[in-house]
Amino acid sequence: MAAPLSDGDRRKQISVRGIAGLGDVAEVRKSFNRHLHFTLVKDRNVATPPRLLLRAGPHGQHYYERDPKRIYYLSLEFYMGRTLQNTMVNLGLQNACDEAIYQLGLDLEELEEIEEDAGLGNGGLGRLAACFLDSMATLGLAAYGYGIRYEFGIFNQKIVDGWQVEEADDWLRYGNPWEKARPEYMLPVHFYGRVEHTPDGVKWIDTQVVLAMPYDTPVPGYKNNTVNTMRLWSAKAPNDFNLQEFNMGDYIEAVLDRNLAENISRVLYPNDNFFEGKELRLKQEYFVVAATLQDIIRRFKSSKFGCRDPVRTCFETFPDKVAIQLNDTHPALSIPELMRILVDVEKVDWDKAWEITKRTCAYTNHTVLPEALERWPVSMFEKLLPRHLEIIYALNQMHLDRVAALYPGDIDRLRRMSVIEEGDCKRINMAHLCVIGSHAVNGVARIHSDIVKNSVFKDFYELEPEKFQNKTNGITPRRWLLLCNPGLADIIAEKIGEGFITDLSQLKKLLEFIDNETFIRDVAKVKQENKLKFAAYLEEHYKVKINPMSMFDVQVKRIHEYKRQLLNCLHAITLYNRIRCNPSKSFVPRTIMIGGKAAPGYHMAKMIIKLITSIGEVINNDPYVGDKLKVIFLENYRVSLAEKVIPAADLSQQISTAGTEASGTGNMKFMVNGALTIGTMDGANVEMAEEAGEENLFIFGMRVEDVEALDRKGYNAREYYERLPELRQAIDQITSGFFSPRDPGCFKDVVNMLMYHDSQDRDPREWTRKVIRNIACSGKFSSDRTITEYAREIWGVEPSATAIPPPNLPRN
């Protein structure tokens, strides 16, 4: 923990965290005492949102008055992390709160450590959604995040004997002070049943009903008095659930069976970039879509604040007032569900309904890995969502008729482009459904969007090239610079002012300080302080002592073969062998840190974790090596741990096989926090190298074209093994049991041989100059820029930089 400031220092401290005015401090202290008294003393069983920071509920009135176009970001994952510090940062109250809490004899940092992470996501996709919410609020968009309130988020990872063990993440155990249940907006969601075609239209009847209870979490913009809403649905059984059993007299059994309905929102599926075709998952996907669309339509119909009476009945203007963004194919059922509501319920003509649906929906593709693409069995759909299956068949027929007319006789093209895949098990290709049902389809980095157009959806691109766009991912500079690295944010603000916080492109102004000795020294000093702090944290929580003067070489992300943690392992072994071989030679001391979770059913990923811990066991206990090399596995990597390790990193490992990582966002976090990147030309690394200059990153390995050529030629691992003695030695050590003496055959499955790379030496001044250039050139990778592009080029709305008046001031 940082050393406490003296009273004098606290009063002098003026930083980007907000000047602590005496009025603010007194107000916060008073609120805090009142909150403690009423919430904790008078009403012990209630957790309410900390009123000292946010007035209860989102400031939505502004939107009702203007009736702007609303943006709905639908995602099965929102990886939010902790909320307290982020709220203080965005309200410009961090210093005031810090001071007030200090005056009350408490330590704010200790309080912050008590908060649980909201781990409602697996990795990149869920964390991107969280960054997007922050940017949409900061840009003044009328935007809502919609998802599921999982009772159990991503599992907690324990390492036992070097193996990953999963533990349930009971994050709601002590309540969640940031959410507000909204039972008045509870909605029914239907499953199963059958379809009846009547003269009055189509009826979906005899369904099972589950209720969706909304919980709202405020999403504050940065110092602009805008507070948006993230609405997460929780499943509740209706009171007459399982009426048959009640009637048969089995009352107890009937009540216990309510769990079956409520299981829908019980747990997040822990797979990253992998499709597991389980019925419960399909239920989750329809549950969030059905509840959200009812909410969207209710809001569309009532235009005046506080009025829930339908006023709009014509859906002609729906796409002018509503944009729905699908975060991957997980909420793809929005397309047939919107069609069902328009046609069956609102009696809109089919062709008109299809035009409305396409103009409303847009789809973001997040992966090109075939094993990650959602392909649901038709048989499962038929049982669970019979009406949606009919609608999908009809949409597919329309689509194929159009393709057949444009490409007569091209049967193979029809097969490739169909939403329905024929075969032993007929399947619905959800990505194809998203493409035909959306007016815009985007990838998440330029190289990825090119692959999407030229390979994954090549036929669709030839049909409608105007649909396809690129939107390179970004990260919010509020959490990923201001909050996690205040030291760096302060020295930047001293040089160029605070404008960069909402316009990250202003970091370019730092280029004029690239040779400024004071600034070089300050940047190096902040990095060293972050390293000392993280080393202390590791010692306290992991009981590992590391050399804070060593190079912190960090790879933190989900464990996956394509992300190539194995390549990092081979490199670590090679460094170890070089030190052993030549102990008197001078080496740049290095601490290799690898962290990330493996999906519980992913055998190879779990073996990779065991290999990393086994390598660490040998290297860290070898007296010949001493402080020169350490290998640490960072247990239970999550948002709050990322906020600690990223500001301390010197080297950022981004080493996926070219053409496999859609974008990556960790790469951007490291860049803005002053770590240099070692990586392949994959995902957003390509654009990072373009912005900072390839010579300011350590780029190695094959490009996409090389990988494709090698695939065509045939990859022969043995060729490399025979040709590279250091690689051969590393592989032989793994194979022979050198790193697993008690179980020599332990790593026989780990036979994934990949390209080998060398490391760099460092001259501290030159290194820091490169760091400054990287920070200065990271401005493109703000999620504010990404969201501005979505707003203008997909949603048709204009972001606003002007703050609305605070709620206590009269409005014009």
Side-chain angles (χ1 to χ4, degrees):
M1 222 175 60
L5 295 169
S6 72
D7 283 6
D9 285 342
R10 289 182 163 274
R11 306 232 186 283
K12 279 188 305 209
Q13 188 180 56
I14 295 177
S15 76
V16 288
R17 289 153 38 127
I19 300 166
L22 291 179
D24 279 350
V25 173
E27 189 56 40
V28 169
R29 204 173 63 212
K30 202 166 79 191
S31 302
F32 189 79
N33 274 326
R34 198 166 53 231
H35 181 67
L36 277 179
H37 183 73
F38 288 105
T39 308
L40 303 181
V41 180
K42 296 276 176 69
D43 198 358
R44 275 157 202 236
N45 58 347
V46 179
T48 58
R51 300 274 191 270
L52 74 157
L53 295 181
L54 289 165
R55 289 161 188 80
H59 304 165
Q61 185 165 354
H62 183 61
Y63 296 150
Y64 286 90
E65 290 165 359
R66 290 188 302 130
D67 190 31
K69 183 171 183 176
R70 291 177 163 85
I71 314 305
Y72 295 99
Y73 196 84
L74 268 66
S75 181
L76 268 280
E77 302 185 18
F78 286 95
Y79 201 172
M80 302 295 284
R82 292 170 174 165
T83 296
L84 175 61
Q85 197 183 354
N86 186 247
T87 305
M88 294 188 298
V89 164
N90 279 12
L91 269 49
L93 282 175
Q94 203 178 0
N95 273 355
C97 290
D98 201 4
E99 176 65 24
I101 299 301
Y102 172 76
Q103 289 179 12
L104 292 165
L106 297 166
D107 182 317
L108 189 57
E109 229 176 288
E110 273 176 32
L111 292 183
E112 286 163 357
E113 283 297 314
I114 293 169
E115 186 180 358
E116 294 273 0
D117 278 46
L120 308 185
N122 278 286
L125 174 145
R127 185 51 236 171
L128 184 79
C131 283
F132 279 4
L133 292 184
D134 181 86
S135 286
M136 291 188 291
T138 296
L139 291 167
L141 298 178
Y144 303 74
Y146 272 93
I148 295 177
R149 180 181 178 267
Y150 299 107
E151 197 177 316
F152 296 93
I154 187 65
F155 61 86
N156 284 316
Q157 179 194 56
K158 292 273 184 285
I159 300 296
V160 179
D161 289 333
W163 296 95
Q164 167 177 297
V165 175
E166 300 86 24
E167 254 178 26
D169 167 41
D170 193 2
W171 72 291
L172 292 169
R173 184 173 36 229
Y174 302 115
N176 172 10
W178 301 105
E179 69 183 9
K180 174 87 179 75
R182 307 297 300 273
E184 68 275 26
Y185 290 115
M186 186 142 62
L187 293 166
V189 175
H190 298 261
F191 293 101
Y192 303 107
R194 58 194 176 85
V195 181
E196 221 170 55
H197 292 260
T198 72
D200 300 334
V202 184
K203 305 262 189 291
W204 180 20
I205 55 171
D206 300 338
T207 56
Q208 287 184 23
V209 176
V210 175
L211 299 176
M213 164 86 85
Y215 286 79
D216 286 358
T217 298
V219 179
Y222 182 74
K223 293 186 182 179
N224 65 350
N225 299 312
T226 296
V227 183
N228 285 349
T229 302
M230 175 177 67
R231 176 163 286 182
L232 302 180
W233 302 101
S234 183
K236 273 194 84 52
N239 286 331
D240 60 1
F241 188 76
N242 256 357
L243 203 59
Q244 322 79 286
E245 275 184 358
F246 274 108
N247 294 341
M248 282 155 44
D250 203 341
Y251 165 71
I252 296 291
E253 206 48 44
V255 171
L256 295 183
D257 276 354
R258 293 170 60 86
N259 274 325
L260 300 175
E262 295 172 0
N263 277 339
I264 290 175
S265 57
R266 194 79 67 205
V267 60
L268 168 75
Y269 272 86
N271 302 316
D272 188 70
N273 273 308
F274 183 76
F275 170 61
E276 185 176 2
K278 293 279 196 288
E279 186 178 320
L280 179 61
R281 170 68 173 193
L282 185 57
K283 278 184 175 170
Q284 289 182 340
E285 293 184 354
Y286 181 62
F287 175 74
V288 65
V289 157
T292 300
L293 275 166
Q294 289 179 75
D295 223 26
I296 289 173
I297 285 165
R298 170 189 58 77
R299 209 176 275 121
F300 167 74
K301 283 181 170 180
S302 46
S303 62
K304 288 207 179 64
F305 176 64
C307 155
R308 276 192 256 163
D309 305 324
V311 288
R312 284 201 188 100
T313 45
C314 166
F315 281 84
E316 199 72 49
T317 61
F318 192 73
D320 303 320
K321 287 293 176 189
V322 172
I324 295 174
Q325 190 68 38
L326 308 176
N327 194 24
D328 213 331
T329 56
H330 314 146
L333 287 165
S334 302
I335 292 163
E337 173 67 2
L338 183 52
M339 283 297 284
R340 186 189 69 80
I341 294 169
L342 292 175
V343 174
D344 297 357
V345 181
E346 302 292 346
K347 307 299 181 196
V348 176
D349 165 78
W350 176 275
D351 290 335
K352 187 77 215 158
W354 184 229
E355 186 205 325
I356 290 167
T357 298
K358 283 201 293 190
R359 285 181 55 210
T360 302
C361 295
Y363 158 56
T364 301
N365 172 276
H366 280 273
T367 182
V368 299
L369 301 180
E371 65 269 27
L373 296 176
E374 293 197 292
R375 295 155 61 250
W376 290 103
V378 165
S379 55
M380 196 185 285
F381 249 85
E382 208 159 17
K383 184 175 69 148
L384 194 70
L385 301 166
R387 177 57 180 148
H388 296 77
L389 183 62
E390 290 186 349
I391 290 167
I392 289 167
Y393 271 131
L395 294 175
N396 191 43
Q397 193 55 59
M398 258 169 44
H399 160 62
L400 292 181
D401 289 347
R402 182 178 169 214
V403 175
L406 287 165
Y407 302 93
D410 194 343
I411 306 300
D412 200 49
R413 183 180 294 264
L414 290 177
R415 182 191 54 74
R416 292 196 308 266
M417 294 184 76
S418 176
V419 174
I420 309 294
E421 296 180 357
E422 303 294 339
D424 295 344
C425 167
K426 282 174 82 164
R427 292 177 178 272
I428 300 172
N429 184 313
M430 302 303 270
H432 289 186
L433 178 62
C434 285
V435 174
I436 69 167
S438 299
H439 69 278
V441 175
N442 73 280
V444 289
R446 194 176 59 223
I447 186 177
H448 169 235
S449 297
D450 288 344
I451 293 170
V452 160
K453 290 189 295 198
N454 304 327
S455 157
V456 188
F457 300 133
K458 184 173 191 285
D459 296 317
F460 295 89
Y461 176 64
E462 285 170 11
L463 190 68
E464 303 179 289
E466 68 288 344
K467 240 187 211 188
F468 289 81
Q469 304 189 18
N470 172 243
K471 295 284 168 278
T472 299
N473 283 162
I475 56 169
T476 169
R478 271 73 62 184
R479 184 177 294 267
W480 296 111
L481 180 53
L482 222 57
L483 178 156
C484 72
N485 204 341
L488 182 59
D490 278 350
I491 63 169
I492 292 172
E494 270 172 36
K495 286 281 183 262
I496 65 170
E498 290 183 23
F500 71 94
I501 299 168
T502 49
D503 175 12
L504 204 63
S505 68
Q506 291 189 25
L507 289 178
K508 274 264 184 276
K509 296 177 187 170
L510 291 175
L511 287 173
E512 45 186 283
F513 302 104
I514 214 148
D515 293 311
N516 178 308
E517 295 304 329
T518 318
F519 192 59
I520 291 174
R521 202 165 51 245
D522 287 346
V523 169
K525 178 165 171 273
V526 166
K527 179 62 74 179
Q528 197 51 43
E529 283 166 359
N530 293 340
K531 290 172 72 172
L532 284 162
K533 189 171 180 180
F534 189 63
Y537 175 86
L538 280 186
E539 199 170 339
E540 189 185 337
H541 292 88
Y542 292 77
K543 308 292 173 260
V544 223
K545 253 186 113 58
I546 59 168
N547 171 11
M549 302 311 291
S550 64
M551 181 198 291
F552 285 12
D553 173 343
V554 183
Q555 186 180 25
V556 282
K557 51 187 75 238
R558 286 295 290 254
I559 310 293
H560 205 297
E561 285 154 276
Y562 86 84
K563 293 178 188 281
R564 295 207 292 193
Q565 282 91 356
L566 272 178
L567 181 55
N568 201 352
C569 287
L570 292 175
H571 182 238
I573 295 169
T574 303
L575 290 179
Y576 169 66
N577 289 334
R578 287 179 189 171
I579 293 168
R580 288 274 316 190
C581 181
N582 203 342
S584 57
K585 189 171 175 234
S586 103
F587 278 86
V588 175
R590 186 186 294 239
T591 303
I592 296 174
M593 305 181 204
I594 304 176
K597 292 174 182 175
Y602 189 174
H603 168 74
M604 185 56 76
K606 291 185 139 178
M607 288 307 306
I608 291 169
I609 291 175
K610 176 61 174 169
L611 178 62
I612 297 162
T613 56
S614 304
I615 291 168
E617 195 65 27
V618 171
I619 294 178
N620 302 347
N621 293 301
D622 188 326
Y624 282 95
V625 175
D627 253 1
K628 288 179 186 157
L629 184 63
K630 289 270 182 276
V631 175
I632 309 290
F633 186 82
L634 296 175
E635 184 178 273
N636 204 29
Y637 180 65
R638 58 201 185 282
V639 176
S640 56
L641 188 57
E643 289 164 5
K644 296 176 173 72
V645 67
I646 292 172
D650 292 305
L651 192 62
S652 156
Q653 297 264 359
Q654 308 296 336
I655 58 179
S656 54
T657 309
T660 61
E661 188 72 89
S663 166
T665 44
N667 46 4
M668 304 168 186
K669 293 164 194 172
F670 281 104
M671 184 185 195
V672 79
N673 280 282
L676 298 188
T677 302
I678 180 161
T680 49
M681 278 297 204
D682 198 22
N685 296 357
V686 176
E687 290 159 80
M688 285 162 50
E690 193 174 286
E691 294 294 302
E694 215 175 300
E695 68 284 2
N696 295 298
L697 286 77
F698 304 114
I699 297 292
F700 74 93
M702 296 189 282
R703 310 298 204 253
V704 171
E705 314 76 63
D706 307 322
V707 175
E708 285 168 357
L710 186 62
D711 280 344
R712 283 193 299 272
K713 173 181 154 232
Y715 171 62
N716 179 8
R718 184 150 285 278
E719 209 179 287
Y720 297 96
Y721 173 82
E722 301 293 359
R723 200 173 74 224
L724 301 162
E726 288 188 309
L727 176 63
R728 182 165 59 233
Q729 183 185 3
I731 304 287
D732 290 348
Q733 285 168 310
I734 295 170
T735 312
S736 70
F738 181 87
F739 294 106
S740 52
R742 280 171 299 182
D743 182 6
C746 183
F747 301 117
K748 64 178 190 307
D749 291 345
V750 182
V751 195
N752 196 339
M753 311 294 112
L754 283 158
M755 193 84 162
Y756 158 86
H757 74 90
D758 210 335
S759 62
Q760 266 72 28
D761 258 336
R762 60 188 284 206
D763 152 23
R765 184 174 179 281
E766 266 319 293
W767 183 280
T768 307
R769 286 181 74 251
K770 279 187 175 178
V771 163
I772 294 168
R773 185 174 293 279
N774 270 269
I775 295 169
C777 296
S778 64
K780 173 178 178 177
F781 305 105
S782 168
S783 48
D784 299 343
R785 186 265 318 150
T786 311
I787 288 298
T788 299
E789 290 178 11
Y790 275 96
R792 291 176 178 155
E793 296 161 28
I794 296 180
W795 304 329
V797 293
E798 191 55 36
S800 149
T802 53
I804 60 171
N808 55 332
L809 290 183
R811 297 216 182 99
N812 296 332

